[in-house]
Amino acid sequence: MIDSTRAYSKLVAAFNQNDWPRVQQRVTQLLAVTQNDASVHFMAGVACMCMHQMPRALEHLLKATHLEPRRVEYVAQYACALSLTRRFREARLVADRAMTLSPNDVQTLGTLGTVYKQANAHVQSANAFRRAVALAPEQAIHHLNLAYALNSLGDAEGAEQELETCVRLEPRHWYAHLLLAQLRKQTTEHNHVERLHELLQRHGHDPGADLLLNVALGKEYDDLGDYPPAFEHYSRGKAAGRRIRPYAFTRDEAMFEALHSAFPSADAEPTMAGDPTNEPIFIIGMPRTGTTLLDRVLSSHPEVRSAGELQNFPTLLQRASGCPTALLSEADIAARTRHIDWRQLGAAYLASTRPVSGETPRFIDKMPHNFLYAGFIARALPNAKIVCLRRDPLDTCIGNFRHLFDQESGFYDYSFNLDDIGRYYIQFDRLMAHWRKLFPGRIHEVQYEALVENTEATTRELLEFCKLPWDDACLRSEDNTAPVNTPNAWQVRAPIYGRAIGQWRRYEPQLRDLRWRLASAGIGTAD
């Protein structure tokens, strides 16, 4: 018989020290005595979450919220766990419940703000972070998070103020410096070049500073039209990122080969029909090709709502496959997905998009890397529309090189090296040709250059493909007030412009090897 009071004290001590294995040991002892102590389940859930044991984390945190439904920190951590397992619809609903309990501590508000951000609920995210800033104005991280939310909502001035406060409080928030560079087009009168150089000189040994400050300097020199130092800083920053995230292209090459093998021919299509809904419109393509602009144009239509960059379909496909590892890392994807009920998967996807979707007859899922999943989408949602945005290959590749993507996602590991980017683009081009052959008429390709140079004609073709009536609002995407989940939000809030066409020519001397690689695959010429 254990002394439960003493065991509980030891559990709390281990929890406060973030000693998660010891927490789990103490929890096991206490749960042998009592199954209905909410605080024990809460601490167990947090420990499991920190040790990436998500099924157990969800079980314990759900139990804690059932036992004490008004403990806001319990509800907030349950929302966090749901978000980490990409159950964003449920996470947002649970976060809403937590907010009704009037949280008044900074940590809980920060957790809820992050949950809302991951669920693309930027208004709610901004509200949570505003309250966190009001409670703890001296904590830089909350100013940074509030700035991201404000920028998504179109308040660039407010975002800039919060970012400057952040770096004043903590100059080593390197990501804040990058966001400041991305927030607007820098000019000779207004830029951060001198400050960035000073910080890099003092902190260049820090891998994070080496990565983020160099990419920020690349962006600012690019804005100023000084392209040789811009490319040099992009190269230094991306090289630092590669040291942080080692990568071999053979991994992605195997993934593309496995996808081709999983869909050998149209004759191999399953006979089981998917869900008949026609609500979703998927916008896919290589990143940095203008998918956000296309999303803004299409979601300006009164019958269409943008749901943002959803990860719902890949997550639900992974779950339906039952594969214990990442599905796309499997050599035999066909075997892993042969048993899937495609109608059930399509219905589960549609349900998972609520409440973000459902307010209009149609909604957009703008996750560019869904081009990897286009075959599965075609099976699960046979009436969904799939739109692929294409852009000049060299503009696409240099755009990927100049941008720092989400470091928590494995989708973008190719983007730290121009040669890897070129090889990845070739595989993308090959896969899209495969999808077009297997699913004729299912994928509508839009050329970025045509969208910006002949907007009306290109948009009319797009609406016809989506079976939507013409609406003049699609020609005024700058009036679209929906949030934009990208650091470069100012670009897509401006009227459509063509200045981004042919940007690769600014770096033509540095792209000779890339042009040769693409040309050797039949993409463009090396001249």
Side-chain angles (χ1 to χ4, degrees):
M1 186 76 174
I2 68 167
D3 183 339
S4 58
T5 302
R6 185 179 178 189
Y8 186 82
S9 297
K10 289 182 177 180
L11 169 61
V12 172
F15 185 84
N16 291 335
Q17 294 168 7
N18 297 338
D19 186 348
W20 308 125
R22 184 63 59 86
V23 168
Q24 291 187 324
Q25 179 185 346
R26 300 299 181 192
V27 163
T28 301
Q29 293 175 340
L30 281 165
L31 289 180
V33 177
T34 175
Q35 289 287 324
N36 293 314
D37 189 315
S39 64
V40 173
H41 283 287
F42 170 71
M43 287 184 275
V46 172
C48 290
M49 189 160 50
C50 292
M51 296 179 72
H52 308 290
Q53 300 169 359
M54 297 312 298
R56 292 179 60 198
L58 288 167
E59 180 183 343
H60 283 296
L61 289 168
L62 177 61
K63 181 75 170 179
T65 61
H66 281 169
L67 291 169
E68 293 196 29
R70 298 198 62 78
R71 286 291 294 270
V72 65
E73 66 271 32
Y74 295 2
V75 181
Q77 289 300 323
Y78 180 46
C80 180
L82 287 167
S83 181
L84 288 173
T85 54
R86 304 190 186 284
R87 293 163 62 176
F88 297 117
R89 171 182 175 272
E90 296 165 81
R92 179 177 174 179
L93 293 173
V94 173
D96 288 343
R97 177 154 59 94
M99 290 299 286
T100 67
L101 299 174
S102 302
N104 60 1
D105 72 280
V106 173
Q107 183 176 353
T108 298
L109 286 164
T111 297
L112 293 170
T114 301
V115 168
Y116 280 127
K117 173 187 172 184
Q118 293 169 338
N120 292 315
H122 298 291
V123 171
Q124 293 84 349
S125 180
N127 289 338
F129 286 127
R130 276 195 194 95
R131 291 172 63 178
V133 164
L135 287 171
E138 75 289 350
Q139 293 186 17
I141 185 62
H142 301 302
H143 292 279
L144 173 61
N145 288 327
L146 176 56
Y148 191 96
L150 292 175
N151 187 46
S152 298
L153 295 171
D155 185 1
E157 183 177 342
E160 186 170 30
Q161 291 174 359
E162 294 300 330
L163 288 170
E164 288 292 353
T165 300
C166 174
V167 298
R168 176 178 55 79
L169 291 168
E170 177 46 84
R172 291 173 296 181
H173 261 301
W174 312 127
Y175 186 57
H177 292 284
L178 177 59
L179 285 181
L180 277 166
Q182 295 174 330
L183 200 58
R184 62 177 79 247
K185 183 178 176 63
Q186 306 302 314
T187 65
T188 53
E189 297 80 20
H190 185 286
N191 64 75
H192 315 93
V193 169
E194 184 177 352
R195 180 169 70 185
L196 290 167
H197 272 299
E198 290 175 354
L199 288 166
L200 195 56
Q201 186 173 8
R202 292 202 305 269
H203 303 285
H205 61 278
D206 180 322
D210 199 12
L211 167 61
L212 293 159
L213 297 182
N214 270 304
V215 174
L217 275 166
K219 162 65 166 62
E220 301 222 351
Y221 275 120
D222 188 287
D223 285 347
L224 297 173
D226 201 351
Y227 303 120
F231 190 85
E232 178 64 23
H233 283 290
Y234 282 132
S235 298
R236 290 181 187 176
K238 287 303 188 81
R242 173 57 68 238
R243 290 191 292 272
I244 295 170
R245 294 181 70 100
Y247 167 82
F249 181 72
T250 51
R251 185 196 74 188
D252 281 334
E253 188 174 38
M255 173 189 69
F256 280 105
E257 290 301 326
L259 283 168
H260 281 275
S261 298
F263 292 82
S265 67
D267 294 338
E269 280 295 283
T271 55
M272 184 184 301
D275 187 271
T277 180
N278 70 344
E279 289 183 52
I281 302 171
F282 291 86
I283 293 180
I284 63 175
M286 281 287 289
R288 310 305 298 166
T289 53
T291 53
T292 301
L293 172 61
L294 184 61
D295 174 85
R296 303 288 287 181
V297 169
L298 191 51
S299 65
S300 296
H301 195 287
E303 295 183 22
V304 183
R305 174 185 174 90
S306 175
E309 295 189 1
L310 302 179
Q311 300 182 44
N312 301 41
F313 190 88
T315 299
L316 290 166
L317 176 64
Q318 175 75 35
R319 197 174 300 163
S321 74
C323 186
T325 58
L327 175 62
L328 296 191
S329 68
E330 291 289 314
D332 193 348
I333 295 175
R336 289 291 189 180
T337 57
R338 192 169 291 125
H339 68 280
I340 288 178
D341 183 324
W342 297 103
R343 179 183 289 269
Q344 187 177 71
L345 175 59
Y349 165 78
L350 188 64
S352 76
T353 66
R354 311 300 195 213
V356 179
S357 65
E359 297 182 12
T360 56
R362 313 288 290 280
F363 71 91
I364 300 169
D365 182 337
K366 189 199 80 72
M367 174 55 75
H369 267 94
N370 271 337
F371 74 79
L372 296 169
Y373 298 91
F376 303 107
I377 292 170
R379 287 179 176 176
L381 297 157
N383 295 317
K385 298 300 181 182
I386 306 173
V387 181
C388 180
L389 188 63
R390 304 297 296 261
R391 192 173 191 168
D392 179 277
L394 289 169
D395 274 341
T396 298
C397 291
I398 193 64
N400 276 249
F401 185 65
R402 291 161 56 207
H403 191 75
L404 185 64
F405 296 101
D406 179 4
Q407 297 297 284
E408 295 182 5
S409 171
F411 276 136
Y412 309 104
D413 285 351
Y414 67 89
S415 66
F416 292 93
N417 177 278
L418 268 176
D419 195 49
D420 287 336
I421 293 171
R423 290 190 286 182
Y424 193 93
Y425 184 89
I426 291 167
Q427 291 292 337
F428 156 77
D429 188 68
R430 179 170 166 253
L431 182 62
M432 288 309 305
H434 187 63
W435 294 143
R436 290 194 304 272
K437 180 179 179 181
L438 259 60
F439 305 104
R442 286 298 313 274
I443 301 174
H444 178 69
E445 292 200 345
V446 174
Q447 195 68 30
Y448 170 80
E449 291 79 7
L451 180 64
V452 300
E453 292 180 332
N454 197 351
T455 305
E456 181 172 344
T458 305
T459 303
R460 285 186 180 277
E461 290 177 3
L462 173 62
L463 294 181
E464 183 178 354
F465 171 76
C466 294
K467 293 185 165 54
L468 287 165
W470 173 255
D471 196 286
D472 287 341
C474 294
L475 300 180
R476 301 187 301 275
S477 61
E478 67 272 19
D479 296 336
N480 192 327
T481 59
V484 183
N485 189 21
T486 174
N488 307 97
W490 62 274
Q491 292 178 315
V492 294
R493 294 187 189 281
I496 293 176
Y497 57 86
R499 296 189 303 275
I501 295 175
Q503 285 189 342
W504 68 269
R505 297 187 184 279
R506 301 171 179 176
Y507 300 100
E508 189 167 0
Q510 295 92 347
L511 300 183
R512 292 191 183 96
D513 290 345
L514 173 64
R515 294 182 71 185
W516 178 87
R517 178 171 289 282
L518 293 175
S520 67
I523 300 171
T525 66
D527 300 329

